[in-house]
């Protein structure tokens, strides 16, 4: 039975791991999960393991709240030790965080083949820490599991057709997850299962990207826009700890109460019942589409270009006027959401079957 070491660390990876763990179990591959500890509190980590029934990690490295270099370096050192002990047949990393990069680098140096889930995404913005993580991780991976045709094309244009690697569009594991949990979310959501009955239309908003939180002008513009929208909509803003810290430090105030980060079931209920989404999150801009909602992306570029090309999502940057102008249009939108750019909801099973061939 192939032994697969999976590495998680940040919130979006817990969600993706939920789908893969289930598929690995189904096809009888042994999984050893390592949690780097990058995200650590109840709302950002524990609730996902509990609600989504993700197996308990065999190792929790407890590495968090450090600068990028220190965090990645410490993870690299500790992951190497775990890999030397466990001697897995393959290492699976997800997405684009510091945990992804450290995991891929530790494995590649030990000549353990790496599978990258969500390979080939590019924002073409080298200032984003995530873009650096993606590019390096892809280059040292053996299996590049792409979520979209665009991601495959990105890799081919970077010369991956000439490398001894397997590049494949298997669909998006996040679509698998959304389909699976949407059937039970209403029952298990704890905060937002009564949303349908609200008097005002709901807007779901999140933001935490470094490019928005560390640039005070951008941060202020986003807050100003949300404060205006609050006159008309009920805004649900689950606040990321990074954003919370900076808003408090800079004395920038919202004229409504944000909420703590929510679990996945509440997120699904919010997505099902909101009017539209405003976010800088990579995951949420797609989840909006899965639940037939349009999304304003408060960034200048996106890795998920298909939804912009299809007219569902808009890139509005951290520009107050653009956010307000497009928000106005969203209210009356009647789009059909018929396309299927993210596969059939069986991406994790495809990955498990490919890894079973080892
Ligand atoms: C990370 C990922 C990003 C991903 C995001 C999802 C990198 C470079 N970035 O960004 O790609 O979209 O996660 O959320 O890896 N904190 C807490 N409690 C927690 C987790 C974090 O208080 O449970 C605090 C940390 O101490 C830190 C801040 O939040 O001060 C930011 O956390 P960090 O892990 O650096 O990255 P994210 O901004 O979450």
């Amino acid at each position: 039975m192939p032994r697969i070491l999976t590495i998680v660390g940040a919130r979006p990876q817990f969600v993706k791991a939920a789908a893969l763990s289930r598929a690995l179990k189904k096809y009888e591959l042994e999984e050893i999960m390592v949690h780097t500890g990058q995200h650590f509190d109840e709302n950002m980590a524990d609730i996902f393991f509990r609600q989504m029934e993700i197996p308990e990690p065999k190792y929790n490295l407890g590495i968090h709240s450090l600068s990028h270099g220190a965090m990645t370096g410490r993870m690299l050192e500790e992951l190497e030790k775990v890999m030397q002990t466990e001697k897995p047949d393959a290492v699976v990393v997800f997405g684009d965080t510091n945990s992804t990069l450290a995991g891929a680098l530790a494995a590649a140096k030990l000549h353990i083949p790496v599978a990258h889930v969500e390979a080939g995404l590019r924002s073409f913005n080298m200032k984003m820490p995530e873009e650096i993580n993606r590019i390096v991780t892809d280059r040292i991976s053996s299996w590049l599991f792409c979520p979209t045709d665009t991601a495959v094309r990105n890799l081919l244009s970077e010369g991956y057709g000439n490398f001894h690697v397997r590049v494949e569009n298997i669909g998006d594991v996040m679509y698998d997850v959304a389909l699976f949990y949407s059937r039970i979310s209403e029952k298990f959501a704890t905060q937002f299962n009564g949303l349908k009955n609200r008097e005002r239309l709901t807007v779901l908003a999140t933001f935490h990207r470094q490019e928005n939180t560390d640039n005070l002008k951008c941060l202020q513009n986003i807050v100003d826009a949300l404060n205006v929208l609050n006159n008309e909509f009920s805004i649900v803003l689950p606040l990321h700890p990074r954003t919370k810290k900076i808003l408090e430090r800079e004395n920038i105030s919202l004229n409504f109460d944000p909420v703590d980060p929510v679990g996945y079931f509440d997120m699904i209920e919010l997505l099902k019942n909101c009017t539209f989404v405003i976010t800088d999150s990579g995951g949420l801009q797609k989840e909006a589409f899965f639940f037939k909602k349009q999304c304003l992306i408060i960034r200048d570029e996106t890795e998920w270009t298909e939804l912009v090309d299809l007219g569902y999502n808009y890139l509005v940057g951290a520009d107050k006027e653009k956010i307000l102008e497009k928000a106005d249009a969203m209210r009356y939108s009647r789009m059909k959401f018929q396309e299927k750019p993210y596969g059939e909801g069986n991406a994790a099973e495809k990955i498990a079957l490919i890894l079973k061939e080892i």
Side-chain angles (χ1 to χ4, degrees):
M1 187 195 275
R3 304 184 77 225
I4 311 295
L5 190 129
T6 52
I7 297 174
V8 296
R11 186 168 55 173
Q13 291 160 335
F14 309 143
V15 175
K16 290 163 201 160
L20 188 64
S21 288
R22 202 170 320 105
L24 292 177
K25 198 166 160 204
K26 176 170 173 189
Y27 292 105
E28 297 178 331
L29 287 94
E30 184 185 349
E31 179 179 19
I32 307 140
M33 187 182 278
V34 184
H35 180 1
T36 62
Q38 181 170 352
H39 285 174
F40 49 89
D41 41 39
E42 162 64 21
N43 293 334
M44 295 288 285
D46 302 350
I47 190 171
F48 291 87
F49 282 88
R50 222 178 31 253
Q51 289 191 330
M52 302 176 90
E53 297 178 324
I54 303 168
E56 189 173 346
K58 183 165 178 189
Y59 299 86
N60 188 327
L61 306 178
I63 302 167
H64 56 76
S65 310
L66 296 165
S67 66
H68 283 278
M71 192 194 285
T72 313
R74 286 218 42 216
M75 287 176 183
L76 186 57
E77 201 177 337
E78 296 305 316
L79 286 167
E80 181 178 63
K81 288 182 205 158
V82 173
M83 289 176 199
Q84 280 168 329
T85 308
E86 295 289 346
K87 299 191 174 33
D89 297 301
V91 165
V92 177
V93 294
F94 303 89
D96 57 17
T97 72
N98 291 335
S99 303
T100 315
L101 173 63
L105 207 47
K109 293 268 181 131
L110 293 171
H111 302 161
I112 303 169
V114 179
H116 185 201
V117 179
E118 227 178 57
L121 294 183
R122 297 290 182 266
S123 65
F124 303 100
N125 174 357
M126 287 303 289
K127 292 221 167 83
M128 282 176 74
E130 292 87 350
E131 182 77 351
I132 300 166
N133 294 343
R134 285 179 201 127
I135 291 175
V136 180
T137 301
D138 279 343
R139 189 61 191 86
I140 57 181
S141 294
S142 300
W143 293 275
L144 294 116
F145 294 127
C146 300
T148 58
D149 286 335
T150 315
V152 173
R153 274 198 302 278
N154 287 339
L155 291 178
L156 295 181
S157 73
E158 289 175 23
Y160 278 71
N162 303 316
F163 306 154
H164 192 63
V165 294
R166 182 160 175 182
V167 175
E168 203 154 328
N169 177 1
I170 46 108
D172 184 2
V173 287
M174 290 195 67
Y175 186 42
D176 304 15
V177 180
L179 289 179
F180 185 85
Y181 290 100
S182 63
R183 295 193 285 264
I184 52 170
S185 58
E186 191 171 3
K187 189 162 159 214
F188 292 109
T190 51
Q191 278 177 279
F192 290 104
N193 23 18
L195 261 186
K196 279 188 209 98
N197 307 324
R198 287 201 176 188
E199 270 171 30
R200 293 205 299 174
L201 297 175
T202 301
V203 172
L204 169 61
T206 75
F207 60 105
H208 70 273
R209 291 270 173 201
Q210 208 169 302
E211 70 220 58
N212 283 330
T213 55
D214 294 9
N215 179 328
L216 294 186
K217 194 163 173 285
C218 291
L219 189 61
Q220 186 72 60
N221 284 346
I222 295 168
V223 169
D224 287 349
L226 294 178
N227 283 345
V228 173
L229 288 175
N230 179 48
N231 294 326
E232 194 185 345
F233 296 96
S234 161
I235 300 179
V236 178
L237 171 66
L239 204 55
H240 187 286
R242 168 207 288 286
T243 316
K244 183 171 188 220
K245 267 185 221 166
I246 300 178
L247 289 177
E248 280 169 7
R249 189 188 70 208
E250 300 300 327
N251 234 337
I252 298 178
S253 31
L254 292 155
N255 62 7
F256 58 95
D257 288 330
V259 297
D260 286 336
V262 297
Y264 194 65
F265 293 132
D266 279 295
M267 206 46 153
I268 294 183
E269 287 306 300
L270 283 166
L271 283 160
K272 281 182 185 168
N273 294 303
C274 70
T275 305
F276 65 93
V277 176
I278 301 180
T279 191
D280 61 9
S281 152
L284 202 59
Q285 55 187 277
K286 268 175 309 159
E287 286 166 331
F289 176 78
F290 300 156
F291 291 96
K292 301 189 177 354
K293 298 294 148 65
Q294 288 195 260
C295 175
L296 302 183
I297 306 168
I298 37 179
R299 290 176 51 195
D300 295 327
E301 68 280 308
T302 176
E303 303 77 23
W304 306 100
T305 49
E306 13 342 276
L307 296 179
V308 176
D309 295 342
L310 289 168
Y312 293 106
N313 291 357
Y314 292 99
L315 284 165
V316 288
D319 181 326
K320 181 184 166 192
E321 296 313 321
K322 270 196 201 158
I323 297 172
L324 294 177
E325 181 196 321
K326 288 292 179 194
D328 206 42
M330 296 260 137
R331 213 175 348 172
Y332 307 108
S333 124
R334 292 271 178 274
M335 298 196 74
K336 294 212 160 59
F337 301 89
Q338 276 165 335
E339 299 83 353
K340 286 208 159 199
Y342 301 110
E344 299 297 326
N346 56 359
E349 297 215 350
K350 286 187 179 169
I351 295 172
L353 286 171
I354 292 172
L355 294 179
K356 209 173 157 69
E357 294 164 12
I358 299 175

